[in-house]
């Protein structure tokens, strides 16, 4: 089969004769149709998650080609998307729907598990999510990127009528934006840094878009909320200034959601413990929620969550280098790429 291999020399190469994957008893082999391209994949091939060799790619949709002898819930021909966490299956975290927190957790597309930049990939049966008939493989192929932001709010909840600030207008920010709409937010404010991003934010439903290169974020947020601050403030950037502003922009008794991860060498400002305590803010972090897959797939299926318009570029497997370059540099107008296998 064809596969993009991150080899032991640290290079990304096309192998046209890579072996068909072995199918364990409780695993399946998937014929990959569409694979989303994530900026995290560039970190994978930089060695930040473990050594080569590896086939990268953790956003995977396709058709089941083969099932192991103990597989009961799936059959060849089923249309599936992959929930990537591979875990022990019997600890407290796994049994509570948090297998990504399992002490033995690893992920498809990260060492040591080959991912979806190949014609075929093998995954455990319990990583399968079935794609509704009216959801395309491309939509399913990038849904993992939307699942993480959606899953955080699905976990912690959001009251109808909430005012929301979202910092970051990449795929995570736009996913938080659409999630807030699904949870009936009354006003969604989004911060951007480029004029091009304003159209994008409004297209996906932002009520107010603030260009922080031209306006003071906190001052404008207070204008939009009658001086109170927002009910829910979300940072999807990981920038130190955005994390500080997430707290400043939140009303007393409100909630701060931290999703963006600062770089390891980031100079973090002092965490505002006094402000958090005295203003009774709830500060939470999150990055995954396996229990949110079916609800999100249902919202995509019924048209309430638009992942189709988040796909801005399509590439072949042979063009994966171009797709990774876009994911790394994020030029104007870019949101998400998929690879057609």
């Amino acid at each position: 089969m064809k596969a993009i291999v991150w080899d032991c020399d640290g290079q990304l190469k096309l192998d046209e004769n890579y072996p068909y994957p072995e199918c364990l008893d409780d695993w399946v082999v998937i014929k990959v149709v569409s694979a989303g391209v994530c900026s995290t994949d560039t970190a994978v091939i930089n060695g930040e998650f473990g050594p080569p060799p590896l086939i990268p790619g953790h956003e995977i949709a396709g058709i089941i080609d083969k099932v192991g002898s103990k597989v009961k819930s799936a059959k060849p021909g089923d249309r599936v998307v992959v929930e990537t966490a591979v875990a022990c299956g019997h600890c407290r975290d796994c049994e509570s729907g948090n297998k990504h927190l399992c002490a033995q957790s690893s992920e498809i597309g990260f060492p040591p598990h080959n991912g979806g930049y190949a014609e075929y990939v093998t995954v455990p049966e319990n990583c399968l999510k079935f794609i509704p008939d009216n959801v395309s493989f491309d939509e399913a192929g990038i849904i993992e990127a939307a699942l993480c932001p959606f899953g955080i709010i699905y976990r912690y909840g959001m009251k109808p009528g909430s005012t929301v600030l979202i910092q970051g207008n990449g795929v995570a920010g736009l996913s938080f934006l659409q999630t807030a709409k699904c949870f009936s937010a009354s006003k969604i404010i989004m911060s951007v840094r480029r004029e091009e991003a304003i159209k994008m934010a409004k297209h996906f439903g932002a009520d107010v878009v603030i260009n922080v290169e031209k306006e003071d974020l906190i001052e404008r947020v207070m204008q939009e909320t009658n001086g109170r601050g927002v009910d829910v403030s979300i940072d999807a950037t990981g920038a130190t200034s955005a994390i500080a502003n997430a707290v400043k922009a939140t009303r007393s008794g409100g909630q701060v959601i931290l999703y963006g991860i600062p770089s390891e060498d980031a100079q973090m400002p002092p965490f505002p413990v006094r402000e958090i305590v005295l203003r009774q803010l709830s500060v939470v972090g999150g990055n995954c929620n396996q229990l949110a897959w079916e609800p999100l797939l249902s919202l995509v299926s019924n048209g309430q969550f638009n992942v189709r318009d988040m796909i801005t570029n399509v590439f072949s497997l042979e063009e994966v280098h171009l797709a990774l370059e876009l994911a790394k540099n994020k030029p104007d107008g870019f949101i998400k790429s998929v690879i057609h296998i």
Side-chain angles (χ1 to χ4, degrees), residues 73-300:
S73 66
K75 64 184 184 302
D78 285 342
R79 302 170 74 245
V80 293
V81 59
V82 176
E83 187 270 303
T84 57
V86 180
C88 74
H90 52 74
C91 69
R92 180 177 179 179
D93 288 321
C94 287
E95 292 179 348
S96 65
N98 293 296
K99 65 177 180 173
H100 60 288
L101 299 178
C102 172
Q104 299 179 40
S105 181
S106 53
E107 286 196 66
I108 301 296
F110 293 76
H113 301 295
N114 281 335
Y117 292 171
E119 291 184 288
Y120 297 92
V121 63
T122 183
V123 307
E125 178 184 13
N126 64 11
C127 286
L128 300 176
K129 305 297 176 183
F130 297 95
I131 304 171
D133 290 341
N134 65 335
V135 174
S136 71
F137 285 112
D138 280 359
E139 290 171 302
I142 71 162
I143 205 167
E144 194 271 346
L147 184 282
C148 293
F150 177 84
I152 294 171
I153 294 180
Y154 187 79
R155 181 187 306 279
Y156 295 116
M158 179 182 290
K159 293 181 180 179
S162 294
T163 54
V164 182
L165 169 66
I166 301 165
Q167 296 182 83
N169 64 296
V171 66
L174 295 174
S175 296
F176 275 119
L177 166 57
Q178 294 199 73
T179 302
K181 287 176 65 65
C182 290
F183 278 75
S184 301
S186 64
K187 178 182 281 190
I188 304 172
I189 305 168
M190 187 167 235
S191 71
V192 303
R193 289 190 174 276
R194 304 187 309 273
E195 287 295 318
E196 176 70 23
I198 294 176
K199 296 178 184 178
M200 191 182 300
K202 290 184 176 179
H203 174 77
F204 285 96
D207 299 297
V208 177
V209 185
I210 303 171
N211 185 340
V212 294
E213 297 289 345
K214 297 182 177 181
E215 298 183 79
D216 182 272
L217 177 65
I218 302 304
E219 182 179 320
R220 181 70 187 280
V221 167
M222 293 305 166
Q223 291 174 358
E224 294 290 341
T225 58
N226 296 318
R228 294 178 70 243
V230 295
D231 300 307
V232 182
S233 182
I234 301 168
D235 172 50
T237 70
T240 56
S241 59
I243 294 171
N245 281 334
V247 174
K248 294 177 184 177
T250 308
R251 67 165 176 83
S252 296
Q255 183 182 54
V256 178
I257 296 175
L258 301 179
Y259 176 76
I261 301 175
S263 62
E264 291 187 0
D265 59 353
Q267 298 297 311
M268 295 296 296
F271 201 64
V273 175
R274 180 180 177 85
E275 189 173 0
I276 290 169
V277 172
L278 294 179
R279 293 176 51 215
Q280 297 187 130
L281 302 180
S282 299
V283 181
V284 298
N287 63 5
C288 193
N289 183 356
Q290 72 192 72
L291 300 179
W293 276 92
E294 280 77 12
L296 180 55
L297 281 165
S298 178
L299 289 169
V300 173

Side-chain angles (χ1 to χ4, degrees), residues 29-96:
V29 176
I30 298 170
K31 171 68 178 75
V32 182
V33 176
S34 184
V37 180
C38 178
S39 57
T40 303
D41 293 330
T42 63
V44 170
I45 61 179
N46 283 335
E48 296 179 26
F49 293 90
L54 178 78
I55 298 172
H58 60 276
E59 300 176 6
I60 306 164
I63 302 168
I64 294 180
D65 188 64
K66 184 178 181 180
V67 300
S69 60
K70 295 182 180 179
V71 171
K72 298 179 180 179
S73 66
K75 64 184 184 302
D78 285 342
R79 302 170 74 245
V80 293
V81 59
V82 176
E83 187 270 303
T84 57
V86 180
C88 74
H90 52 74
C91 69
R92 180 177 179 179
D93 288 321
C94 287
E95 292 179 348
S96 65

